[in-house]
Amino acid sequence: MIEERHVRELLERSEDDAALVLVEGRAEVVAPAGLASEPYRGAAVLMTRADLVDRLGTADPSEDRLRTLASTLATMAGELGA
């Protein structure tokens, strides 16, 4: 569901309020304007880009850190029943 590519994609966004969301059982990175659109109504926001950089402590983390965070987010999403 949540993979390293999702975390990397979020990190590569230029908007700090871009978000990694869960919608209908799938993970997507969404631009801030998209969050209010019909396709994302009811989506669960897991993390914004600003939250991600804050959590990692850098905008240029190692691949291991990205993999570890993706795994943690996937576990959290699974526990939510998403």
Side-chain angles (χ1 to χ4, degrees), residues 4-82:
E4 183 181 342
R5 68 182 174 87
H6 296 112
V7 178
R8 185 177 301 110
E9 181 182 349
L10 181 59
L11 194 58
E12 291 172 352
R13 289 293 183 115
S14 59
E15 315 98 329
D16 279 340
D17 51 352
L20 175 59
V21 301
L22 289 178
V23 59
E24 297 178 0
R26 67 185 186 283
E28 290 189 36
V29 175
V30 182
L35 289 174
S37 68
E38 183 62 34
Y40 298 102
R41 192 169 313 245
V45 176
L46 295 178
M47 182 174 282
T48 65
R49 183 189 184 281
D51 294 335
L52 175 60
V53 171
D54 186 54
R55 182 169 184 152
L56 293 171
T58 180
D60 188 26
S62 69
E63 291 299 311
D64 284 342
R65 298 230 17 230
L66 289 178
R67 224 178 346 268
T68 299
L69 183 56
S71 176
T72 299
L73 290 170
T75 299
M76 287 171 46
E79 289 174 357
L80 291 172

